[in-house]
Amino acid sequence: MAHQTHTQYPKILSELDQALVWSVLLLLSLGLVMVYSASIAIAEAKYGVDSAGHYLLRHGAYLTIGLLSGFIVFQIPMYLWQKYAIHLFFLSILLLILVLIPGIGREVNGSQRWISLFVVNLQPSEFTKLFIIMYAADYVVRKTEYLNSFSKGFLPILFALSIVGFLLLLEPDFGAFVVVIALAMAILFLGGMSLKIFVGLISFLAIGLFVLIQSASYRMDRIIAFMDPWADPFGKGYQLSHALIAFGRGEWLGVGLGGSVEKLFYLPEAHTDFLLAVLAEELGFVGVATVIGLFIWLVLRTFVIGRQATKLECHFSALVAQGIGIWIGIQALINMGVNMGVLPTKGLTLPLMSFGGSSITANCIALAVLLRIDWENRQRLKGLPI
C-alpha cells in the first residue's frame, strides 16, 4: 500500500465492512462514556475534585494510541504477518519473561503483569493473545499434513503453549492463561485437527484446570463465592454481590446515565472489570442487550470475513480472522458472565470498552488486522493487486 496516496484512504474506508466498522466504533464510544461515568467518584477521591475527568482523559489517550496503532498496522500485508508469526511468538515469550524480572515488572494487587514504561504500563499478556493467534494460524498452515498425528502435529505446539502458559501462571494471570489456551485450541480445531486428539486434549485440559484451581486457595475461594455470593457478602462475595445489586437496580431502562450508586465506592474495579455492571445499573436491560448484540454482530462478521478468506484460499488470513473473533467473543463472554454471576470472578476486561491502555491498544491492533484481511479479500475478488 506504499504507493497509495492520502486521497485514496477515504476510498479504502468505504470499501471496508461497514457493519463491522460501525459496531466497533459504537462499542469504543459507549466504552468511553461509561468509563467516564464509572470513574468520576474514584478520580475525585484520588486526584481531587478538579480531576473528575482523570480516567476519561487517560482512556481517551489510550483510544488515540490504539486507533493510531491500528491505522499503522492496517498498512501491513498479511503475508508479512505470516512470515514473522514465529518471531512474534518469541517476542511474546520475551515480554512474558521480562515482566517477571524484579525492577522491570510491576506488581499490582499481588500480580506481576505489567512492565512500567514510566508514562503508561504495558501488559504483555494482552498482546500475547494476538501473537498466539498468528502463531497457531501459521502453525496449522505449515503442518496441515501432520494435524492428525499426535507426535508430529500436536506435541510441538503443545510444548510451545506450555511455555507461554507456565509464564502466565507465574504472574499469575489465570484469566489470560484460559483465553490463550482456548484460542490456540480453537484455531487447531478450525484448522482440521483430528477430532480424537481434540477431544482427548479437551479432557486433559479440563483435568488440568481443575488441578490448578485446587492448587491455589484464592481460586477456590472465587469458585465458592461465585456459587453463593450472599453467603459472605462482605467478604469473598463482596464484588459479585454488588455487581448483582447494580444489575437489579437497573431493571429495564436503568436509573439514568451517571445515576449509578454502586460506582460510589461500593463496587470495586467499576471502570475496569465491572464496567458492565455500572452500565446495567445506568442503562438497564436495554443497554446490556445493546452491548451483547454489538459483540455478537462483531463476532459474526469476523467469521464471515474468515469464510471469505477460506474461499479465496488464504488459509492463514482465514484462521487469524476467526481467531480474533473467538478472542473477542470469549473474553467478552467471560467478562459478562463474571458481571452477571454466572462465572467465577476473573480479572478480564470487557474488550473495546473497559479502562486499560494495553487492552484497548491490543484490541484496536487486532481489529486493524481483521479489516486488512477484509480489504485484501475485496481486492482479490476484484482481481486487483494488494
Side-chain angles (χ1 to χ4, degrees):
M1 290 181 62
H3 63 283
Q4 293 172 334
T5 63
H6 293 294
T7 57
Q8 291 174 299
Y9 288 124
K11 182 183 177 184
I12 292 173
L13 287 172
S14 67
E15 291 176 347
L16 297 176
D17 189 319
Q18 296 300 303
L20 174 64
V21 171
W22 280 106
S23 62
V24 169
L25 290 177
L26 284 170
L27 285 169
L28 289 173
S29 301
L30 186 56
L32 183 66
V33 172
M34 291 312 305
V35 164
Y36 180 44
S37 178
S39 66
I40 291 175
I42 189 173
E44 288 182 347
K46 271 189 167 185
Y47 306 104
V49 178
D50 296 332
S51 300
H54 174 81
Y55 291 101
L56 170 67
L57 293 174
R58 287 185 70 87
H59 193 69
Y62 295 150
L63 270 178
T64 302
I65 293 170
L67 292 172
L68 286 174
S69 300
F71 177 78
I72 294 168
V73 164
F74 181 80
Q75 319 301 316
I76 303 173
M78 288 309 298
Y79 79 86
L80 286 179
W81 288 113
Q82 184 173 7
K83 181 179 179 181
Y84 293 105
I86 193 164
H87 298 82
L88 294 173
F89 173 73
F90 285 122
L91 174 62
S92 68
I93 290 177
L94 176 62
L95 290 172
L96 290 175
I97 292 172
L98 286 175
V99 82
L100 296 170
I101 299 174
I104 298 178
R106 183 167 177 261
E107 185 176 329
V108 178
N109 296 329
S111 297
Q112 196 157 324
R113 304 176 185 176
W114 296 268
I115 295 174
S116 177
L117 300 179
F118 301 106
V119 179
V120 294
N121 294 318
L122 175 71
Q123 189 173 357
S125 60
E126 291 296 332
F127 297 94
T128 297
K129 296 166 189 174
L130 177 59
F131 295 160
I132 282 292
I133 289 170
M134 293 190 169
Y135 173 72
D138 176 59
Y139 183 88
V140 166
V141 171
R142 287 188 290 108
K143 300 275 189 174
T144 300
E145 59 185 303
Y146 299 117
L147 288 181
N148 290 325
S149 168
F150 183 81
S151 58
K152 292 182 179 179
F154 177 67
L155 279 182
I157 196 167
L158 176 63
F159 176 72
L161 290 174
S162 297
I163 296 172
V164 174
F166 177 71
L167 292 171
L168 286 171
L169 290 174
L170 284 179
E171 294 183 7
D173 193 344
F174 189 67
F177 169 79
V178 170
V179 172
V180 164
I181 298 301
L183 286 173
M185 294 306 98
I187 290 172
L188 288 172
F189 179 72
L190 290 170
M193 173 186 278
S194 163
L195 186 60
K196 186 190 297 184
I197 294 176
F198 185 76
V199 171
L201 175 63
I202 293 297
S203 303
F204 174 76
L205 285 174
I207 295 169
L209 288 174
F210 177 76
V211 171
L212 284 171
I213 291 169
Q214 289 279 13
S215 65
S217 59
Y218 74 91
R219 291 184 190 132
M220 202 65 213
D221 288 344
R222 286 179 175 178
I223 297 292
I224 295 168
F226 141 75
M227 293 174 70
D228 186 7
W230 306 110
D232 187 12
F234 298 105
K236 297 172 184 175
Y238 184 79
Q239 277 184 311
L240 181 52
S241 61
H242 279 280
L244 293 175
I245 290 170
F247 271 87
R249 290 193 75 245
E251 298 185 350
W252 287 100
L253 299 175
V255 297
L257 188 62
S260 169
V261 172
E262 285 301 318
K263 69 185 181 185
L264 303 177
F265 311 108
Y266 293 105
L267 182 62
E269 310 296 339
H271 59 302
T272 55
D273 299 353
F274 285 88
L275 184 73
L276 188 70
V278 177
L279 184 145
E281 187 178 0
E282 296 189 347
L283 303 182
F285 173 82
V286 172
V288 174
T290 300
V291 170
I292 292 173
L294 286 170
F295 274 113
I296 290 173
W297 183 251
L298 193 160
V299 173
L300 287 175
R301 296 312 302 168
T302 65
F303 274 83
V304 169
I305 291 169
R307 185 174 60 191
Q308 186 66 64
T310 301
K311 290 179 180 177
L312 293 168
E313 297 187 354
C314 303
H315 301 296
F316 173 77
S317 294
L319 290 171
V320 169
Q322 292 164 347
I324 290 170
I326 293 168
W327 167 21
I328 293 172
I330 286 177
Q331 191 159 324
L333 183 65
I334 292 174
N335 180 274
M336 291 174 183
V338 167
N339 276 252
M340 295 178 190
V342 296
L343 290 173
T345 303
K346 196 90 282 324
L348 285 173
T349 56
L350 186 60
L352 301 171
M353 294 186 69
S354 291
F355 178 82
S358 296
S359 175
I360 285 290
T361 303
N363 291 160
C364 288
I365 288 173
L367 289 166
V369 171
L370 179 65
L371 288 172
R372 175 72 195 196
I373 295 169
D374 178 47
W375 183 80
E376 289 191 4
N377 287 348
R378 294 167 189 264
Q379 295 299 102
R380 287 190 174 93
L381 286 170
K382 294 175 182 177
L384 298 173
I386 295 171

